[in-house]
């Protein structure tokens, strides 16, 4: 990672941290949501395969704001040879403008050596439109720039 990339990542993490801390101090009825996933698939026969998947998503909602952390790790082994390894960590901030419209800013870091990159950073900026929101269905569309 270059010095520029490290400085940029530290600045973005600082901004998200300050936003999160201010949310704790000034939020009215904040809400915390968590989703965790763990998957293990082991098969034997002509080919022995092992697949491991771990996924985590945390959301913190206050007033018209949402902060989200997500992480994922995937590893695949076939006949004792590693054939896939992917991981990612991300932070995202959303600000609701109206009931249907929101702005978002996100930063993540990911790695997939089998796709040809050891590590890369992605910055996202865009808008989100809420199409349907019921207890059973949540449906939205996003447009942004990475």
């Amino acid at each position: 990672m270059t010095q520029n990339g490290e400085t940029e990542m530290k600045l973005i993490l600082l901004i998200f941290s300050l936003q999160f801390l201010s949310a704790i101090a000034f939020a009215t009825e904040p809400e915390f949501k968590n989703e965790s996933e763990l998957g293990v698939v082991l098969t034997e026969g002509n080919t022995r395969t092992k697949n491991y998947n771990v996924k985590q998503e945390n959301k913190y909602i206050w007033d018209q704001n949402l902060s989200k952390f997500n992480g994922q790790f995937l590893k695949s082994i076939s006949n004792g040879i590693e054939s896939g390894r992917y991981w990612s960590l991300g932070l995202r901030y959303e600000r609701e403008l109206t009931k249907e419209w929101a702005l978002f800013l996100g930063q993540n870091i990911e790695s997939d050596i089998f796709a040809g990159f050891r590590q890369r950073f992605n910055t996202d900026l865009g808008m989100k439109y809420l199409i349907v929101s019921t207890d059973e269905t949540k449906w939205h569309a996003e447009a942004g720039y990475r």
Side-chain angles (χ1 to χ4, degrees), residues 3-120:
Q3 181 67 27
N4 234 2
E6 288 178 13
T7 303
E8 179 181 293
M9 187 62 170
K10 287 177 184 176
L11 179 60
I12 290 171
L13 287 172
L14 176 64
I15 291 168
F16 275 108
S17 299
L18 291 174
Q19 185 69 32
F20 185 74
L21 291 174
S22 68
I24 293 170
F26 301 107
T28 57
E29 298 183 35
E31 182 180 357
F32 183 76
K33 294 183 179 182
N34 175 57
E35 269 186 54
S36 300
E37 181 180 315
L38 173 63
V40 177
V41 178
L42 306 172
T43 62
E44 295 210 16
N46 292 340
T47 303
R48 291 182 176 182
T49 62
K50 298 176 185 177
N51 294 307
Y52 306 98
N53 184 37
V54 178
K55 196 173 185 181
Q56 178 67 37
E57 183 175 277
N58 297 332
K59 293 180 184 177
Y60 187 75
I61 304 165
W62 72 101
D63 300 328
Q64 290 88 23
N65 303 289
L66 178 139
S67 290
K68 181 170 34 173
F69 164 79
N70 58 44
Q72 181 176 355
F73 176 76
L74 170 72
K75 184 173 184 174
S76 297
I77 300 169
S78 181
N79 283 332
I81 299 171
E82 186 176 31
S83 56
R85 185 177 349 132
Y86 172 82
W87 63 264
S88 71
L89 294 171
L91 291 171
R92 179 171 164 145
Y93 171 73
E94 293 181 17
R95 172 69 179 180
E96 185 180 286
L97 302 174
T98 67
K99 190 159 180 82
E100 293 84 20
W101 290 96
L103 294 173
F104 65 83
L105 172 66
Q107 178 70 38
N108 82 345
I109 180 172
E110 64 182 340
S111 173
D112 190 341
I113 59 172
F114 291 94
F117 60 94
R118 181 169 302 281
Q119 182 177 321
R120 71 178 173 196

Side-chain angles (χ1 to χ4, degrees), residues 124-136:
D124 301 323
L125 176 64
M127 293 194 75
K128 178 177 170 180
Y129 180 74
L130 184 61
I131 299 168
V132 175
S133 180
T134 65
D135 290 340
E136 298 83 26

